[in-house]
């Protein structure tokens, strides 16, 4: 299996004062639980310090083994969530951008704690949708703006965003973010499994597996189900008094 490399980051690092962040998300297609986004920034590298790949191509044990090393060795990182109620309110695409805005704010706080000013920022985003640019909606939103003082300054100054299709299998920084997002969300789903044991969230992580859908139709949705997603909406109709 091809490993991600540094071919995208290296020419960017050769520019002066550039912070390069990989961006990825996890849980967008689930029926339950939050969506999670993560960003990861590395100092210039010659060799890969952690054996990360597209998190979907790694086993759970492999992802877990890489999670702490990424957090320890990355120059800065951030993880953010958007809840199922926020997903239902805004739709999954916008909620993904909200989670990303929170991840970026967290990473900027880490940079600030290291006395690193905001020079030039480049975001390498998995896929073909400019998530960072669309996160502006929440960074400037009257209801959410107080969450994002550092991100507001970043958006005012500007940044570069590069979308890379299948970037989590090509770009080391994106693969790092992929592991952070996936493991963070999976751990959260284990917590939800303890809170709502009948749904087996620890096994399927909220995805639309046959078992999950069967339990959903048997038990009805819980508060962590995304009520605007079709299988959940259909299950709600079976429990009109719920």
């Amino acid at each position: 299996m091809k490993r991600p490399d540094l071919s995208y980051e290296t020419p960017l690092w050769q520019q002066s004062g550039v912070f390069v962040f990989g961006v990825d998300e996890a849980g967008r297609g689930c029926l339950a639980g939050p969506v999670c986004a993560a960003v990861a920034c590395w100092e210039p590298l010659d060799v890969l310090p952690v054996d990360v790949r597209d998190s979907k191509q790694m086993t759970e044990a492999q992802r877990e083994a890489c999670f702490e090393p990424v957090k320890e060795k990355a120059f800065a990182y951030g993880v953010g969530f958007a809840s199922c109620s926020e997903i239902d309110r805004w739709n999954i695409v916008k909620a993904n951008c909200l989670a990303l805005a929170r991840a970026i704010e967290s990473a900027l706080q880490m940079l600030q704690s290291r006395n690193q000013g905001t020079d030039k920022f480049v975001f390498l985003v998995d896929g073909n949708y400019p998530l960072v640019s669309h996160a502006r909606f929440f960074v400037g939103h009257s209801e959410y703006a107080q969450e994002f003082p550092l991100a507001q300054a970043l958006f005012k100054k500007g940044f570069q965003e590069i979308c890379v299709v299948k970037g989590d299998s090509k770009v080391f920084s994106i693969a790092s973010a992929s592991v952070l997002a996936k493991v963070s969300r999976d751990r959260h789903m284990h917590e939800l499994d303890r809170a709502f044991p009948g749904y087996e969230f620890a096994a399927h992580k909220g995805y639309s597996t046959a078992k999950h859908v069967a339990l959903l139709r048997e038990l009805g949705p819980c508060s962590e189900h995304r009520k605007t997603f079709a299988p959940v909406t259909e299950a709600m109709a079976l429990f009109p008094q719920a």
Side-chain angles (χ1 to χ4, degrees):
M1 183 181 299
K2 183 181 183 297
R3 298 294 201 269
D5 59 32
L6 301 170
S7 58
Y8 279 82
E9 293 94 336
T10 298
L12 295 169
W13 284 330
Q14 290 170 350
Q15 303 174 33
S16 177
V18 176
F19 293 114
V20 181
F21 279 89
V23 178
D24 205 1
E25 54 77 30
R28 190 169 55 188
C30 295
L31 302 181
V35 65
C36 181
V39 297
C41 173
W42 298 83
E43 293 183 286
L45 302 167
D46 294 319
V47 296
L48 303 186
V50 187
D51 186 23
V52 293
R53 289 165 278 145
D54 171 6
S55 64
K56 297 183 294 297
Q57 303 301 320
M58 301 171 71
T59 66
E60 185 168 0
Q62 289 171 333
R63 291 191 297 267
E64 285 284 348
C66 289
F67 184 70
E68 292 301 331
V70 168
K71 291 171 62 179
E72 291 168 3
K73 297 179 181 182
F75 187 68
Y77 68 88
V79 175
F81 291 89
S83 68
C84 62
S85 61
E86 288 171 327
I87 293 168
D88 286 337
R89 178 184 178 186
W90 294 109
N91 77 44
I92 186 59
V93 176
K94 281 190 174 180
N96 198 8
C97 294
L98 175 57
L100 177 56
R102 289 168 172 159
I104 291 172
E105 183 71 20
S106 178
L108 293 176
Q109 291 172 0
M110 183 175 289
L111 287 178
Q112 186 180 65
S113 70
R114 296 184 173 187
N115 297 316
Q116 294 293 324
T118 54
D119 286 355
K120 182 178 179 182
F121 283 76
V122 181
F123 293 94
L124 303 174
V125 181
D126 182 47
N128 58 10
Y129 186 79
L131 284 171
V132 182
S133 297
H134 283 85
R136 183 186 299 273
F137 175 84
F138 292 103
V139 171
H141 194 285
S142 59
E143 186 175 336
Y144 292 93
Q146 69 277 5
E147 289 189 44
F148 306 117
L150 300 179
Q152 286 177 23
L154 170 64
F155 275 79
K156 188 174 296 184
K157 186 171 185 177
F159 54 85
Q160 183 180 0
E161 182 171 16
I162 301 171
C163 295
V164 185
V165 175
K166 297 184 178 179
D168 45 8
S169 64
K170 301 175 183 177
V171 183
F172 173 71
S173 297
I174 295 177
S176 302
S178 174
V179 168
L180 290 178
K182 177 64 174 166
V183 173
S184 296
R185 187 182 184 280
D186 283 357
R187 290 182 176 183
H188 183 79
M189 295 308 295
H190 278 275
E191 294 175 6
L192 292 184
D193 183 70
R194 290 188 285 272
F196 303 94
Y199 296 95
E200 301 185 12
F201 287 141
H204 53 67
K205 310 300 190 296
Y207 284 92
S208 184
T209 64
K211 180 65 172 178
H212 185 191
V213 173
L215 290 169
L216 183 59
R217 294 176 67 86
E218 175 186 339
L219 303 174
C222 74
S223 59
E224 288 296 327
H225 279 99
R226 303 174 184 180
K227 296 175 176 56
T228 52
F229 280 43
V232 182
T233 304
E234 293 164 5
M236 288 171 63
L238 301 174
F239 296 83
Q241 304 304 317

